Amino acid sequence: MEKTRKDAKRRFARHSDATHGWGMVLRKRINRAGSVSWQIDYGVVDGKRKRVSFEDKAEAERALVAAKDSRKRLGALGVTASPLEMAEFLAVRERLRSCGASILEAVEFFMEHGLRVKHPKLMPALVDDFIWSRIELGRDVRTIQTYRHVLRALARAFPLRHAHEMTREDLKAWRRSQGWSPATQNKAMGHVRGLFKWAIAEKHAGLDPCEGLEEVTVSPAEVEVLSLRSCEALLLTGLKVPRFMPFLVLGLFRGMRRSELERLRWEEINLESGSVIASAAKVKTRRRRVMELTPQMRAWISAAGWTEEKMQTGPVAPSNLKVLWPKFWRQAGLSRWPHNGLRHTFASMHYAMHQDEAALQAILGQRSTEVLHTNYRAIKTLGEAERFFAFMPPGAV
């Protein structure tokens, strides 16, 4: 035992031949064969004790000086990192400093957000998967068409970009490049927000690039409505082209949305009881709506030759409406068609007649009176409203 201890003392020469610095030790080592080497003990690095031996003392001393210098400047990293890793570390540190951030902050940010991305997807694949998920959830055809138009434009702009790599600046530049009106830009970004909300839930992205993206300012436009003369001309033209009369009357005297009218079927209209039932699947707000067929509406529909026998099954709106509807209102003498003309006209006339926002909101199926004020009401007088709701077919009592 005593001999073993002496050998150990002789091999490591702990006292007279040891050089210390920054937790590191340079020791002279006498090997079993009697040869001499010099060993640097770096201490515990990454949970393990690190020792490196050198045959030449001068070489070992130079290595010790370099290690102490690195540790002084960079801590344990200066001892364990390769030159390439050190260069990368320094470059990253400088980039973060330019942003006012530290390496620790960057690591914490990644641990919080980066690990959320478990299934990276390129934008075209992401958009396709999102659209299919909306189809599976039963979204209506018009909504799916809008998704395809807006989101595929986004995917075409960034074909090689992963969802988690998209930034707010990317979306801002893309929005500007589409040539859309301010209102259309805001609506499109609503769909983009839905896309990234879904992407985060599905672990395709960690952050929402839409966050903090402000809406484009939209200048309030005057609500356009049909004049009394135009309303009368349309109704009289409907008597000559009866196929359009139910579509016209339901829009003009009940304010149904065009999308609702395009989905409405004869089975949902009861001329005898005077009711129209718009199912939740066909209504924009997804709320079932029961509407009254007023005596005025029934009079115009009947005057155009429509009876219960003719209204058995099938769509109410004429086929190829996109082409035939402009021909119809031009035949009535109109040179242009105001946006949502039928619905806006009804809302404005009804409010002028009754001054009842709650009743009008229920008829239109609106969720808020704010939308009612900004989008659906033009200033009309009581006299105009009385004339509007007094329109009856020629010869009607």
Side-chain angles (χ1 to χ4, degrees), residues 9 52 62 90 104 149 219 243 337 342 345 394:
K9 288 180 181 180
V52 179
R62 287 194 296 271
L90 294 171
L104 180 59
H149 174 68
S219 301
R243 184 68 183 89
W337 186 257
L342 298 178
T345 300

Side-chain angles (χ1 to χ4, degrees), residues 254-255 257 289 343 346-347 360-366 372:
R254 245 340 161 228
R257 298 177 179 90
R289 206 155 88 247
R343 185 170 170 85
F346 168 75
L360 180 56
Q361 184 179 342
I363 294 172
L364 292 176
Q366 285 297 332
L372 194 66

Side-chain angles (χ1 to χ4, degrees), residues 178-190:
Q178 296 305 301
W180 293 328
S181 68
T184 302
Q185 289 183 47
N186 291 338
K187 289 179 181 178
M189 291 312 300

Side-chain angles (χ1 to χ4, degrees), residues 109-231:
F109 181 87
F110 177 81
M111 295 301 292
E112 182 180 355
H113 301 288
L115 294 180
R116 296 179 187 177
V117 182
K118 294 184 178 179
H119 312 292
K121 269 191 186 294
L122 291 172
M123 287 301 296
L126 181 82
V127 167
D128 286 344
D129 288 355
F130 173 74
I131 291 173
W132 275 112
S133 74
R134 301 306 94 176
I135 293 173
E136 291 173 350
L137 290 176
R139 298 294 185 265
D140 60 81
V141 175
R142 187 180 290 271
T143 300
I144 297 300
Q145 289 174 342
T146 304
Y147 284 148
R148 285 174 175 152
H149 174 68
V150 173
L151 300 181
R152 285 182 175 170
L154 178 64
R156 286 193 296 270
F158 301 97
L160 301 178
R161 188 78 65 84
H162 286 90
H164 67 275
E165 297 171 335
M166 294 294 293
T167 67
R168 184 171 58 190
E169 292 304 315
D170 291 332
L171 296 180
K172 191 183 295 185
W174 169 78
R175 182 177 65 180
R176 285 195 303 264
S177 70
Q178 296 305 301
W180 293 328
S181 68
T184 302
Q185 289 183 47
N186 291 338
K187 289 179 181 178
M189 291 312 300
H191 299 310
V192 175
R193 286 185 177 89
L195 169 69
F196 280 101
K197 183 178 179 181
W198 175 82
I200 292 171
E202 296 294 322
K203 308 297 183 184
H204 302 312
L207 291 175
D208 183 2
C210 300
E211 186 175 345
L213 188 61
E214 295 180 331
E215 289 191 342
V216 181
T217 301
V218 180
S219 301
E222 191 69 29
V223 176
E224 291 187 280
V225 298
L226 297 164
S227 66
L228 289 173
R229 181 178 294 180
S230 295
C231 292

